[in-house]
Amino acid sequence: MGRGRLKMELIANERARKTTFQKRRKGMMKKAYEFSILCDLDVCMIIYGPKQTDRPPELHTWPENRDEVDRIINKYKASTMRKPAKKTFDLSDLLRDRKTKVHVDIYRARKEMYEAKYPTWDERIESFSENQLGALLNALDTKLESGKRTLLNKRKQSAECHQHQIHCMEKQHQTK
Amino acid sequence: MGRGRLKMELIANERARKTTFQKRRKGMMKKAYEFSILCDLDVCMIIYGPKQTDRPPELHTWPENRDEVDRIINKYKASTMRKPAKKTFDLSDLLRDRKTKVHVDIYRARKEMYEAKYPTWDERIESFSENQLGALLNALDTKLESGKRTLLNKRKQSAECHQHQIHCMEKQHQTK
DNA sequence: GTATCTATATATAACAA
DNA sequence: TTTGTTATATATAGATA
């Protein structure tokens, strides 16, 4: 699409890649929107943006309203749950058995990092010692519990966002 | 797109709707694939097909490999579970902050605190803001997750699937 | 970086077999 | 109904401001 055919591989030039990211993200969002309207579907999209050296990858979703995303994810999980061989891992799981697994995890993470050419934000974290990480996870464990409550409250607030979003896209569509 | 302009509303005719669904689903999948390759992203898509009178709506995902979907969903959950709501904050800030220097040798710190009755390192961690903890913890378990899953051997078979999938799309791409 | 601007590549709605 | 074809509508790569 566009003036030249694009090789199906990572776009080397960072600026071009970022531009393409923005354009295509917009395109995907629009498609997802249209798709859900035309066919009356539940569509959900999760996109983790390009790796950046200084910060964690940005998160984009469709719909932008995270409550909607969660709703569809729950629907997904519910329909997948029957299948026995699968266990989902969330943070609770991670923290619960970190004591037995964290050492190996960190070892692997570090190995990956060692092989990586350029360190990313996440990888910098990995350079901390096992002891440091272990202690940190320990400390965060308790802290997190209280955090969950706070966050549950935050979720309630964004109900109108989605509506507004839809409205904008329809408006945009009419002008063509 | 196509011979006629389509009104942005539910396609009334069921057959036409189903056809459109198939075509657009294929298109979205391709876009998602290209997007993830071109920009090196984690992209995940959940689509619940048109409501049907007789059976539950079909579920489609990208990637088709459900383990991959779960991986990205977990990543999403881990990050939204504790994403800061207002205060801008990233790791750079965290690392710059003297109090949060994780470079401190944990043993030394603990020993020091033990003897001098300073607050423990863990306690200092407790005093960090929710945002700081969130950013840090998010970075940690995002990275640890892959190792964890690998440990539990959940990915082996599915990895082949994904490769196959990719292969097909690339093949398809080449023939154009 | 950001915002347009086109020339082309793609996607796909309506048809057709 | 499925598959293939084609005319158009869209998306977007590269260029430019």
Side-chain angles (χ1 to χ4, degrees):
Chain A
M1 236 175 269
R3 297 197 169 179
R5 222 171 263 180
L6 198 56
K7 278 175 292 183
M8 191 43 55
E9 61 185 27
L10 177 67
I11 297 173
N13 181 283
E14 185 173 327
R15 214 153 83 74
R17 187 168 67 249
K18 212 163 185 177
T19 304
T20 288
F21 173 75
Q22 294 300 345
K23 287 183 176 176
R24 282 187 176 243
R25 180 172 74 80
K26 187 182 166 190
M28 298 265 305
M29 296 303 199
K30 190 180 175 191
K31 289 282 189 197
Y33 160 72
E34 295 179 346
F35 200 26
S36 67
I37 297 295
L38 292 174
C39 303
D40 186 30
L41 311 171
D42 269 336
V43 176
C44 165
M45 218 160 56
I46 299 173
I47 297 171
Y48 274 94
K51 293 174 183 54
Q52 308 192 49
T53 333
D54 53 339
R55 69 186 69 179
E58 26 174 345
L59 169 64
H60 297 274
T61 65
W62 178 265
E64 291 180 21
N65 178 345
R66 297 298 160 80
D67 288 334
E68 269 301 292
V69 173
D70 289 347
R71 183 181 63 76
I72 300 177
I73 285 180
N74 287 336
K75 193 172 169 182
Y76 164 79
K77 289 221 166 185
S79 61
T80 313
M81 197 159 289
R82 296 172 179 275
K83 312 192 174 183
K86 172 162 307 186
K87 177 163 168 41
T88 61
F89 296 112
D90 56 22
L91 185 61
S92 317
D93 298 313
L94 180 66
L95 291 174
R96 191 180 307 120
D97 52 27
R98 72 183 183 283
K99 281 177 181 166
T100 53
K101 298 296 198 304
V102 74
H103 291 278
V104 188
D105 291 340
I106 292 170
Y107 170 76
R108 287 174 183 273
R110 283 180 148 183
K111 191 176 177 184
E112 286 175 15
M113 183 190 68
Y114 180 77
E115 291 163 354
K117 206 171 180 180
Y118 302 104
T120 64
W121 188 81
D122 287 344
E123 285 159 351
R124 279 204 255 149
I125 286 288
E126 292 164 17
S127 68
F128 302 153
S129 78
E130 288 185 21
N131 288 331
Q132 286 167 336
L133 285 174
L136 184 56
L137 284 171
N138 252 321
L140 295 183
D141 200 356
T142 0
K143 189 68 176 180
L144 187 68
E145 283 307 317
S146 63
K148 280 180 183 172
R149 249 174 251 121
T150 311
L151 288 155
L152 282 179
N153 293 329
K154 288 178 183 172
R155 290 194 174 179
K156 295 177 182 176
Q157 63 187 17
S158 56
E160 319 111 33
C161 271
H162 191 207
Q163 283 307 315
H164 174 66
Q165 202 177 333
I166 297 288
H167 177 68
C168 291
M169 297 204 86
E170 284 176 341
K171 203 170 176 184
Q172 182 183 355
H173 190 265
Q174 286 167 358
T175 61
K176 291 185 177 175
Chain B
M1 235 175 271
R3 298 198 169 177
R5 227 171 262 178
L6 198 58
K7 279 173 293 183
M8 192 44 54
E9 61 183 30
L10 176 67
I11 298 173
N13 180 285
E14 184 174 327
R15 221 140 72 67
R17 187 167 67 247
K18 211 164 186 179
T19 304
T20 288
F21 172 74
Q22 293 300 346
K23 285 184 177 177
R24 283 187 176 244
R25 180 173 72 82
K26 185 182 168 190
M28 299 264 307
M29 296 303 198
K30 189 180 176 188
K31 289 281 188 202
Y33 160 71
E34 294 179 346
F35 200 26
S36 65
I37 297 294
L38 292 173
C39 302
D40 186 27
L41 311 170
D42 268 337
V43 176
C44 165
M45 218 160 57
I46 299 173
I47 298 170
Y48 275 94
K51 294 173 181 57
Q52 307 190 52
T53 39
D54 51 342
R55 67 185 83 174
E58 24 175 344
L59 169 64
H60 296 275
T61 67
W62 174 268
E64 292 180 20
N65 178 346
R66 297 296 161 78
D67 286 335
E68 269 301 293
V69 173
D70 289 347
R71 181 181 66 75
I72 300 175
I73 285 181
N74 287 336
K75 192 172 169 181
Y76 163 79
K77 288 222 163 185
S79 50
T80 51
M81 182 70 72
R82 57 182 88 92
K83 217 63 178 183
K86 42 181 179 180
K87 192 176 182 179
T88 40
F89 174 81
D90 61 30
L91 184 64
S92 312
D93 302 318
L94 184 67
L95 291 178
R96 216 173 284 125
D97 187 343
R98 206 167 68 89
K99 288 196 302 181
T100 65
K101 283 275 163 61
V102 199
H103 301 82
V104 172
D105 181 348
I106 182 62
Y107 282 139
R108 204 176 129 200
R110 277 185 162 168
K111 190 176 180 181
E112 177 189 2
M113 290 177 272
Y114 206 94
E115 294 168 352
K117 295 194 175 180
Y118 282 158
T120 66
W121 191 72
D122 284 3
E123 285 164 348
R124 279 153 62 192
I125 287 285
E126 287 294 314
S127 72
F128 297 160
S129 78
E130 207 65 64
N131 290 344
Q132 290 170 325
L133 289 173
L136 186 53
L137 185 50
N138 180 32
L140 284 172
D141 65 71
T142 292
K143 209 48 184 178
L144 294 184
E145 188 177 20
S146 64
K148 177 176 169 57
R149 292 179 63 80
T150 304
L151 253 189
L152 298 169
N153 256 331
K154 296 286 183 181
R155 274 171 125 183
K156 188 171 55 182
Q157 183 183 5
S158 39
E160 296 167 11
C161 271
H162 194 208
Q163 281 308 315
H164 175 67
Q165 205 174 333
I166 298 289
H167 177 69
C168 291
M169 299 205 84
E170 283 177 342
K171 203 171 175 184
Q172 182 183 357
H173 190 264
Q174 286 167 359
T175 60
K176 290 185 177 175

